[in-house]
Amino acid sequence: MEREGRAVGAASGELVTIGEFARLSRLSAKALRRYDELGLLRPALVDPVNGYRYYDPAQVEGARLVAWLRRIGMPLSRIGRIVALDAGAAAVEIRAYWARVEAETAARRDLAMYLVDHLSAEGGAMSRIPGSTGSTGNARGTGNAGGTGRTGSSGGAEDMGSRGGRGSSGSGAPGGPGVLGGPVAVPLAIRCAALTDTGAVRTANQDAAFAGPRLLAVADGFGEGGAEASAAAIEALKPTAWGGGDGALSAADLLNALEDTADSASRAVRDAVAPCADPDGSGTTLTAMLWTGSRLGLVHIGDSRAYLLRGGELFRITHDHSLVQSMIDDGSLSREEAASHPGRALLLKALVGEARSAPVAVACRPDVRLQEVLAGDRYLLCSDGLSAVVDEAELRAAVIAAEAPEEAVRRLVGLAHEAGGPDNVACVVADVVVAAEE
């Protein structure tokens, strides 16, 4: 009787045909049938005799939302999640998706410009390098918990040819898209130290740090398998894993090596957290620098950071893959407001567990880029246990004041404790020096 009553309703005009609903919703009849099959937009009534679909005019608003989301290129699987949310939560999800789209587009633009210049330059010389941009993936928290405090430091030297010129990104940080001079025969080396600390509040440490002549890295784990994830990500980047040798790599070869290394880190994290009850809820950020005989490559995902101290100025050379950073980028949030925003721990991109579909896996791939190297540079890599509680002016003062990297990492961890030490802390400091000085 209910079905008969609804059929009468359709005949009396309370429901509309699929053709009329297509006109109202700006969706084609073919698309409506497809969305019905996927369970995304069910008709109010399907005639049991002829199979005709009828829709309630009250469904128009939801259907138009689907149409608008498809127009911005959102995948149907994500649309299905969004239409089930209330308006506020849906707005947050749409913002996160679009931040990812803009960041991925910017990354492709930088790579395209690199390819154009690389192929156009005489003798294959590179005149432009990809810049660092933010990106997105699925939003998740950085709920750190886990392991005992780990402390360590290491240092090493390596010959590296320096390059003239100082590239600058749009934000003024050296090393983004810009003109680089050719290699010159000035052998360089690095002095480095790493330190991690549980902090004053956490009972265990999920951060990891490494400093060596071929690799500088910090990782901030989260979730049940956070400690395993951060350790696995760094282990996958060690020279024996990515093939770092004594010979210098060309720019193109290093970019390829960085891409391969980033993929290896992603797989290592998935394997490390697979035994967890919720592998998809465990993962890590990763910010790392890989050194060759003459070049430096950067791998970055999440909200851990890399800074460069050059000429007395401290530049942030990574872009946070976080919800608040995307809101700062689009002007809807100030940096001061971001510090107390309730979503400041939400990541748009990180290395996480579970196998992902191809589009999502690509979207969650770390950013890779080349960074110019000059004698006298000092690099700082750190987790948000430092950068989120100590402002950049204090970071700069501490990094400048320390004579050696070992002293610098101790000062920085001390600053985090003075600020309350609410999170695990990981930091690496490395100096680029003339090899003869080393």
Side-chain angles (χ1 to χ4, degrees), residues 33-55:
R33 287 190 288 269
R34 171 69 170 160
Y35 298 161
D36 178 16
E37 294 169 357
L38 295 174
L40 182 61
L41 187 60
R42 297 288 194 185
L45 171 69
V46 178
D47 191 291
V49 177
N50 56 31
Y52 289 167
R53 293 172 172 84
Y54 296 92
Y55 294 82

Side-chain angles (χ1 to χ4, degrees), residues 128-288:
R128 193 177 182 87
I129 59 176
S132 173
T133 59
S135 217
T136 72
N138 294 326
R140 72 181 57 257
T142 58
N144 290 358
T148 60
R150 296 190 299 274
T151 304
S153 68
S154 62
E158 167 180 5
D159 288 344
M160 304 195 321
S162 69
R163 296 193 296 277
R166 298 194 178 204
S168 60
S169 67
S171 63
V179 176
L180 297 179
V184 295
V186 178
L188 301 180
I190 60 170
R191 297 178 181 142
C192 51
L195 184 62
T196 70
D197 188 86
T198 305
V201 175
R202 306 282 187 183
T203 59
N205 192 354
Q206 291 187 307
D207 282 9
F210 181 86
R214 294 285 183 180
L215 173 68
L216 311 170
V218 296
D220 181 353
F222 56 83
E224 177 190 353
E228 293 79 5
S230 60
I234 291 181
E235 190 66 29
L237 267 63
K238 288 184 178 178
T240 53
W242 64 273
D246 292 332
L249 294 177
S250 69
D253 287 341
L254 180 53
L255 282 172
N256 288 340
L258 291 174
E259 290 282 0
D260 293 343
T261 299
D263 290 341
S264 295
S266 297
R267 289 192 298 270
V269 169
R270 288 198 298 270
D271 292 343
V273 303
C276 297
D278 179 21
D280 194 49
S282 296
T284 185
T285 69
L286 177 66
T287 300

Side-chain angles (χ1 to χ4, degrees), residues 26 68 72 142 230 241 340 364 371 437:
R26 301 297 191 272
W68 292 330
I72 65 173
T142 58
S230 60
S340 58
C364 290
Q371 176 69 31
E437 298 176 1

